[in-house]
Amino acid sequence: MITTRPRGTNDILPSESHKWQHITQQIHDICALYGFRQISTPAFEHTELFHRGVGEGTDIVQKETYTFEDRGGRSLTLRAEGTAPTARAYLENGLHAAAQPTKLYYIEPIFRFERPQAGRYRQHHQFGVEVFGAADPAVDVEVIALALDFLGRFGLDGLTVRLNSVGCPTCRESYRARLVEHFLPCVEQLCPDCRSRIERNPLRLLDCKEEGCRRLKERAPHMLDSLCGPCREHFVRLRGHLDALGIRYEVDHHIVRGLDYYTRTVFEIIYPGLGAQDAVCGGGRYDGLIETLGGEPTPGVGFGMGLERLILTLEDHGYEFPGPRRLDVFLAAVGQEALARCVVLLAELRRRGVAADTEYTGRGLRKQMKHADRLGARFVAIVGEEELATGRCVVRDMGTGTQEDIALEELAGYIQERCGRAGL
RNA sequence: GUGGGCGUAGCUCAGGUGGUUAGAGCGUCAGGUUGUGGCCCUGAAGGUCGCGGGUUCAAGUCCCGUCGCUCACCCCA
């Protein structure tokens, strides 16, 4: 028997699933409020999509994808992030032909081959939003505001918004040159990783945490100082909107994000209680992505939020999830005849919207009471030979211990009324 | 890919320097109470001590290897 799950994956057990239900309910709710509609994409895509969309040189593509060949010889890759597949679906299904912008959200598993640790898994879940077809910084702000509004619903405080701009391909090129100019004279002081980064992707030098590199990047030129006119204006207006909404943020010159498609706005939302995995949410603008995938030039902006990390954050914060729905009534069935009657009663109770269950394993009444207690049942109705004969049964209120004598015919209606259920 | 910690019952964990039949709490099942939950009492079931090899008269315990889990680094949600 195989008794272990693959590394870095998790079972979501009944004792946990109410948390997920609660969170996803809140997601659907807030997205409707902001005018976003849900999209679901396949668990795997053509490998090419991630290579082109996310970027050949990124860590995700270079070492973190789950890539396999199907029986037809096609190279496929499990969804490694949410934006490229959403962009692909947007293009493929002609959503650009409808009224713009297109505002989408998703809740999907993400797969990345990494060494697991607290807050990082090989399969995790992300809630993400994407807006296609609107370049105005007001949309960037809407996306950030949605994320904060959502997190605020759980009473979270201590969150930090970090903000930066990575410019457009044009101004980034000149910035790249300035960076190389800054780091090149002191290559020997850089860590081995960064020495190779200087040629491949100098921007990534900025988020290296090695001591030596850290000190060098303190004096490195800031991207913001290299922005071209339009990019600078975008950032200024973005900050204006954030200020108008009273959203507090820190400009962090070292945020560059690990995916190639970002342009202009990049941001992260940090919860410091999570150690190295403190980014609960990360996102930004990606005005070149759709074009990269073969579409007409189309601006886009969005974020991804790790739900496992969100749950860790909430637990760290002492958030109390609403409990699962409890049983309204447990039918204690004593004997086969009684069980037969209870099967019918159950159907009627449930038709009336009453959460009901009964005893299927033939235990004695005492055990059934104990069982009902642990299920959290509000009432227990005792149905045995005596009740079948008289047509009346005992209904016990498990909270107060008081009991009433109710006709079997009226049981369902009685429980429905006592529990205030609307019926179907 | 690199480093630390840990693998004993369904769960949480005890098991100095090797020594008979491997324990506890919780949970499960049964009974005390043959028709009444929470508290209490009794009993039972449940173990390849992660796996493989080695040392030894003797290994859960010591050694080597291996697998798994976990935490951290890198990077990310």
Side-chain angles (χ1 to χ4, degrees):
Chain A
M1 185 164 55
I2 297 172
T3 56
T4 54
R5 59 188 185 268
R7 181 162 215 203
T9 63
N10 290 297
D11 299 315
I12 300 173
L13 300 173
S15 55
E16 292 287 303
S17 56
H18 69 284
K19 297 177 184 174
W20 288 86
Q21 289 173 356
H22 176 63
I23 285 173
T24 52
Q25 187 52 54
Q26 293 291 326
I27 291 171
H28 294 310
D29 198 66
I30 199 156
C31 284
L33 195 62
Y34 277 74
F36 284 73
R37 302 188 69 192
Q38 188 173 13
I39 185 168
S40 290
T41 61
F44 52 85
E45 298 275 356
H46 293 295
T47 298
E48 180 72 5
L49 174 67
F50 295 109
H51 283 235
R52 292 258 298 276
V54 177
E56 296 281 358
T58 59
D59 280 6
I60 288 182
V61 165
Q62 281 199 334
K63 56 182 196 188
E64 295 177 6
T65 51
Y66 274 93
T67 296
F68 60 98
E69 202 172 89
D70 74 3
R71 290 171 191 277
R74 290 170 280 262
S75 180
L76 301 171
T77 295
L78 297 186
R79 176 173 37 236
E81 58 94 50
T83 300
T86 306
R88 190 227 84 228
Y90 169 83
L91 272 176
E92 179 171 354
N93 298 288
L95 300 185
H96 57 283
Q100 297 298 294
T102 301
K103 300 164 74 173
L104 302 169
Y105 75 99
Y106 59 84
I107 303 167
E108 302 280 12
I110 305 284
F111 305 89
R112 287 184 202 162
F113 189 84
E114 303 178 272
R115 290 287 289 267
Q117 60 182 282
R120 183 164 69 215
Y121 311 102
R122 290 186 171 180
Q123 175 177 347
H124 73 279
H125 297 78
Q126 284 188 24
F127 154 44
V129 309
E130 317 288 355
V131 180
F132 296 101
D136 197 277
V139 184
D140 308 32
V141 173
E142 167 155 295
V143 159
I144 294 171
L146 191 159
L148 289 171
D149 199 357
F150 172 70
L151 295 168
R153 290 189 169 207
F154 302 98
L156 284 176
D157 49 43
L159 295 170
T160 306
V161 179
R162 289 191 191 151
L163 188 68
N164 196 20
S165 173
V166 294
C168 60
T170 314
C171 47
R172 190 155 52 222
E173 198 42 57
S174 65
Y175 178 59
R176 189 187 306 254
R178 290 180 62 188
L179 262 190
V180 172
E181 202 176 304
H182 171 79
F183 283 111
L184 213 48
C186 28
V187 195
E188 324 79 47
Q189 299 174 50
L190 294 171
C191 70
D193 277 348
C194 284
R195 276 176 220 171
S196 64
R197 279 178 184 145
I198 223 170
E199 301 190 357
R200 275 208 331 274
N201 192 350
L203 291 188
R204 296 222 60 85
L205 284 167
L206 292 179
D207 58 15
C208 183
K209 292 176 180 74
E210 292 288 327
E211 187 52 34
C213 311
R214 221 152 155 176
R215 234 171 302 133
L216 283 174
K217 79 186 185 190
E218 293 296 326
R219 293 190 299 277
H222 292 162
M223 179 71 218
L224 292 182
D225 297 327
S226 300
L227 292 180
C228 62
C231 287
R232 180 184 308 278
E233 192 199 332
H234 187 94
F235 194 65
V236 168
R237 289 185 56 210
L238 170 71
R239 296 182 65 167
H241 287 128
L242 288 171
D243 292 339
L245 288 178
I247 292 174
R248 304 205 330 199
Y249 60 91
E250 298 172 2
V251 172
D252 184 334
H253 301 287
H254 303 316
I255 298 181
V256 293
R257 316 281 310 143
L259 298 84
D260 284 353
Y261 50 59
Y262 284 113
T263 56
R264 296 187 169 173
T265 312
V266 291
F267 70 93
E268 293 176 353
I269 300 177
I270 306 298
Y271 181 74
L274 296 183
Q277 279 67 243
D278 58 357
V280 175
C281 177
R285 182 161 278 286
Y286 41 85
D287 291 342
L289 176 60
I290 295 284
E291 203 176 350
T292 303
L293 298 181
E296 294 296 308
T298 307
V301 61
F303 68 70
M305 187 182 294
L307 296 185
E308 281 81 357
R309 281 185 193 178
L310 173 61
I311 289 177
L312 287 175
T313 299
L314 293 177
E315 285 169 346
D316 182 73
H317 214 258
Y319 181 78
E320 288 197 24
F321 289 87
R325 177 173 179 178
R326 295 210 310 205
L327 212 53
D328 291 323
V329 63
F330 183 84
L331 304 183
V334 184
Q336 279 191 2
E337 308 273 311
L339 178 56
R341 182 64 192 269
C342 285
V343 166
V344 176
L345 281 170
L346 274 184
E348 187 186 349
L349 283 160
R350 290 164 178 166
R351 253 197 319 275
R352 291 170 181 266
V354 175
D357 206 344
T358 190
E359 167 64 26
Y360 291 113
T361 65
R363 283 177 288 211
L365 183 61
R366 178 179 145 79
K367 298 296 176 189
Q368 294 193 43
M369 295 301 290
K370 195 178 168 80
H371 185 57
D373 185 44
R374 259 192 303 220
L375 292 177
R378 293 166 68 176
F379 295 96
V380 171
I382 298 167
V383 182
E385 280 177 36
E386 197 180 303
E387 287 75 12
L388 293 179
T390 62
R392 303 189 69 81
C393 71
V394 170
V395 176
R396 181 178 178 88
D397 182 324
M398 296 296 275
T400 64
T402 56
Q403 304 196 154
E404 284 195 63
D405 187 65
I406 305 291
L408 282 175
E409 292 295 322
E410 294 162 14
L411 178 65
Y414 173 79
I415 299 289
Q416 180 184 19
E417 198 187 321
R418 288 292 305 270
C419 295
R421 298 300 172 207
L424 304 178

